[in-house]
Amino acid sequence: MARGTTVTEYLPRSAKLSASDTFSLSSKIQREVERNGISRPKGYTVSWHANPEVEKHHFGMAHPMKPWRLTLTKEIVMAYGMHTAMDTHLSRAATVEELVEFHKEDYIDFLSSVTPQNLATNYPWLKPGAVGYSGPFFGVGEDCPIFDGLFEYCSLYAGASIDAARKLTSHQSDIAINWSGGLHHAKKAEASGFCYINDIVLAILQLLRHHPRVLYIDIDVHHGDGVEQAFWSTDRVLTLSFHKYDKETFFPGTGPLDDTGPTHPDNPGAHHSLNVPLNDGIDDVSYQWLFESVVGPCIDTYRPTAIVLQCGADSLGHDRLGCFNLNIQGHGSCVSYVKSFKIPLLVVGGGGYTPRNVARAWAHETSICIGADKDLDPTLPLHTPFRHHFAEEGPTLFPPLHATRFENKNPRTYLESIVTAIREQLRYMHGAPSVQMSHIPPDIQGWREEIDKELEEEAKREEETKEEKDGAGGLLARTGRRRDYERSAGTKGELSVL
């Protein structure tokens, strides 16, 4: 696979603009702000977390993941002047200590040391061949290649999500946005599906320090398997994924309707992993009805105190890897609906492999977050950098994306059956879990280990008591039933799954 450091060499704006040009551009942006009625939201604060260094990285010429979609997104947002309505933060790289709150140290050590230059020497079994790497190691390979600046890329997008979550927990933001995040496939010690570090899990761990319950919603066309696995055995996170499902032919092949968490009812995570498996070609009307019919009852039953919304844009029509027929307005309606509950909200990106449409969608959803979407002129401002990249469908935020080769194979009866099944699962929750928050655990992993230790000590005390009564034969060779069940039922997660 061909490699380089950038897709196209774009010079920083400061290198191209003189002082007079900068003043002229600022004047044009200010006119857009006034013309579109853009102002800081009343009653809530939105923060935007980004670092232009993320945009410069490159997975390879033939690879569908293009970080420069973030450049296009940023330029649309700033051309309209939406940034003036938000607190903007230059995100910093996550530290190793922050990354290992979820990921294994040896995996982080590998990501931080491997480069295309030392790959053949230090990891000879990973030498690239005609069809990608010959021996996958930590999940790296053709989907997850080793490229220049890999660890910087991972650290920066993860740091942005961590900082965004902290803005929510400190009440400095009510909605925090990180379009570079949303890499939902990464596992504890494994890269997967173009994802290396699971910034979503790291952000949720931050939220759990202050919030008793977090709802994770995923509208990427691919199943949010990495996040689901991470929180498989806890009731403090409810994961809800809307995705195309085909076990045999569509990545990652997980997320059927009946996959709802550990099967044993004593496991805290039982019924707290909800999946909405869809077929090809779903359209705006069907998707919006389904989304609201599922998300509303989930919020009413679970009563989250914070929400994380993954806005993968590969669910749009005409996506390079997608198979849905959503328009940008239909995709954005999900953001509008979740925002309407006025619950602290972290908005992250995700998939999306037609960069110009990804940028349109995320710019539109930024306008929704700041409350500017109703009056925004859909014609891209003339001074928008790289405006020619949008010429194929015309310089508009809302090109028609619904006319694709995919027939809608999601009849209303099928969608109604999904809603019925999800609501049936919600009945098993018996309301939102009550969490004593007087002690804030350093991270969910430590919290689970502490509980396991307490259970083990309790079981030992019971064994000693039983031994005093019955002699040494009874329970010495057995552990508590709950630990047995959790060990078998939680093999898909437990926060330590690979």
Side-chain angles (χ1 to χ4, degrees):
M1 184 181 296
R3 288 189 179 84
T5 55
T6 55
V7 177
T8 307
E9 293 290 350
Y10 296 127
L11 294 176
R13 181 179 289 164
S14 59
K16 295 185 292 184
L17 300 180
S18 65
S20 60
D21 289 336
T22 301
F23 180 79
S24 175
L25 179 60
S26 297
S27 299
K28 292 174 182 177
I29 291 173
Q30 184 57 37
R31 284 197 294 271
E32 286 295 325
V33 168
E34 296 170 357
R35 189 168 69 87
N36 290 285
I38 294 173
S39 61
R40 293 185 70 87
K42 292 180 173 59
Y44 66 98
T45 301
V46 181
S47 60
W48 184 30
H49 303 261
N51 190 315
E53 294 302 311
V54 180
E55 306 163 15
K56 299 178 181 179
H57 294 91
H58 184 36
F59 281 58
M61 292 302 294
H63 201 287
M65 175 63 93
K66 306 294 184 187
W68 71 278
R69 63 194 181 149
L70 299 168
T71 301
L72 297 181
T73 303
K74 175 187 69 179
E75 297 296 5
I76 296 176
V77 168
M78 297 187 71
Y80 277 108
M82 292 185 228
H83 59 290
T84 63
M86 299 182 282
D87 293 339
T88 57
H89 299 278
L90 179 67
S91 57
R92 47 91 195 178
T95 65
V96 169
E97 291 75 18
E98 289 170 325
L99 297 177
V100 298
E101 286 190 6
F102 172 62
H103 293 284
K104 285 193 172 181
E105 288 189 27
D106 56 348
Y107 176 57
I108 297 303
D109 289 343
F110 169 74
L111 291 180
S112 64
S113 60
V114 68
T115 68
Q117 291 73 35
N118 68 20
L119 186 64
T121 303
N122 296 350
Y123 311 95
W125 57 91
L126 282 178
K127 287 192 295 185
V131 290
Y133 298 110
S134 56
F137 181 65
F138 285 128
V140 300
E142 190 172 14
D143 278 356
C144 299
I146 303 302
F147 56 84
D148 288 320
L150 171 61
F151 190 65
E152 179 190 41
Y153 168 74
C154 297
S155 302
L156 285 171
Y157 77 68
S161 288
I162 292 171
D163 285 352
R166 287 175 175 163
K167 289 296 180 184
L168 295 176
T169 58
S170 64
H171 307 292
Q172 294 178 275
S173 297
D174 299 288
I175 300 174
I177 303 169
N178 172 28
W179 293 125
S180 69
L183 285 301
H184 59 170
H185 294 306
K187 311 301 191 301
K188 194 174 185 68
E190 179 185 345
S192 177
F194 317 157
C195 308
Y196 301 83
I197 296 296
N198 200 315
D199 64 290
I200 301 169
V201 172
L202 295 172
I204 291 176
L205 291 176
Q206 292 295 323
L207 295 173
L208 289 174
R209 297 185 180 190
H210 297 268
H211 290 276
R213 295 175 301 280
V214 176
L215 171 60
Y216 170 69
I217 305 172
D218 191 315
I219 60 172
D220 196 288
V221 77
H222 300 95
H223 178 227
D225 58 334
V227 183
E228 179 185 89
Q229 287 186 11
F231 298 108
W232 186 254
S233 290
T234 179
D235 57 4
R236 291 190 60 194
V237 180
L238 174 62
T239 62
L240 173 61
S241 178
F242 296 76
H243 52 269
K244 154 79 175 187
Y245 173 69
D246 187 315
K247 184 177 180 179
E248 303 299 329
T249 64
F250 198 79
F251 182 86
T254 54
L257 183 61
D258 58 0
D259 204 358
T260 60
T263 56
H264 195 274
D266 286 346
N267 191 306
H271 310 293
H272 284 76
S273 298
L274 302 181
N275 287 294
V276 180
L278 299 169
N279 301 313
D280 292 349
I282 193 165
D283 57 27
D284 290 350
V285 173
S286 298
Y287 198 91
Q288 185 172 355
W289 176 85
L290 177 66
F291 186 84
E292 295 181 5
S293 298
V294 169
V295 171
C298 286
I299 291 176
D300 292 341
T301 301
Y302 189 65
R303 289 186 285 127
T305 56
I307 297 175
V308 178
L309 177 59
Q310 196 266 20
C311 298
D314 48 6
S315 46
L316 294 171
H318 293 282
D319 186 82
R320 180 175 174 183
L321 299 184
C323 54
F324 289 172
N325 293 336
L326 298 185
N327 285 298
I328 286 166
Q329 299 96 319
H331 197 270
S333 69
C334 300
V335 180
S336 295
Y337 185 69
V338 174
K339 178 192 171 190
S340 70
F341 288 91
K342 299 180 179 179
I343 296 171
L345 176 62
L346 172 59
V347 179
V348 293
Y353 308 103
T354 303
R356 61 186 183 276
N357 292 335
V358 176
R360 287 172 165 127
W362 290 349
H364 171 57
E365 286 158 12
T366 301
S367 75
I368 291 171
C369 290
I370 64 175
D373 54 303
K374 303 299 183 188
D375 299 320
L376 201 69
D377 184 348
T379 301
L380 299 179
L382 291 174
H383 57 270
T384 305
F386 315 123
R387 196 171 184 263
H388 61 280
H389 279 284
F390 305 92
E392 183 170 336
E393 303 88 359
T396 175
L397 277 178
F398 304 129
L401 301 179
H402 56 278
T404 74
R405 61 186 175 87
F406 295 103
E407 175 189 353
N408 188 353
K409 297 181 179 179
N410 300 273
R412 184 61 174 250
T413 52
Y414 174 65
L415 300 181
E416 289 173 349
S417 71
I418 290 177
V419 172
T420 300
I422 294 292
R423 291 182 177 180
E424 182 67 20
Q425 288 300 321
L426 293 175
R427 289 179 57 247
Y428 288 104
M429 284 188 188
H430 306 298
S434 178
V435 179
Q436 177 65 38
M437 294 299 291
S438 59
H439 169 66
I440 300 173
D443 59 76
I444 193 82
Q445 176 72 45
W447 180 69
R448 294 293 300 157
E449 290 174 353
E450 183 178 340
I451 289 179
D452 283 345
K453 185 177 180 180
E454 291 175 359
L455 289 172
E456 185 176 354
E457 291 173 352
E458 182 181 349
K460 287 181 179 178
R461 288 194 296 270
E462 291 176 355
E463 289 173 10
E464 292 170 358
T465 302
K466 183 71 173 178
E467 183 180 351
E468 290 175 0
K469 292 181 179 180
D470 301 335
L475 296 177
L476 286 177
R478 303 204 305 271
T479 59
R481 285 176 59 81
R482 176 173 178 177
R483 286 179 60 78
D484 281 338
Y485 278 123
E486 285 204 54
R487 187 175 292 112
S488 60
T491 53
K492 191 173 179 180
E494 290 287 357
L495 282 175
S496 60
V497 69
L498 296 185

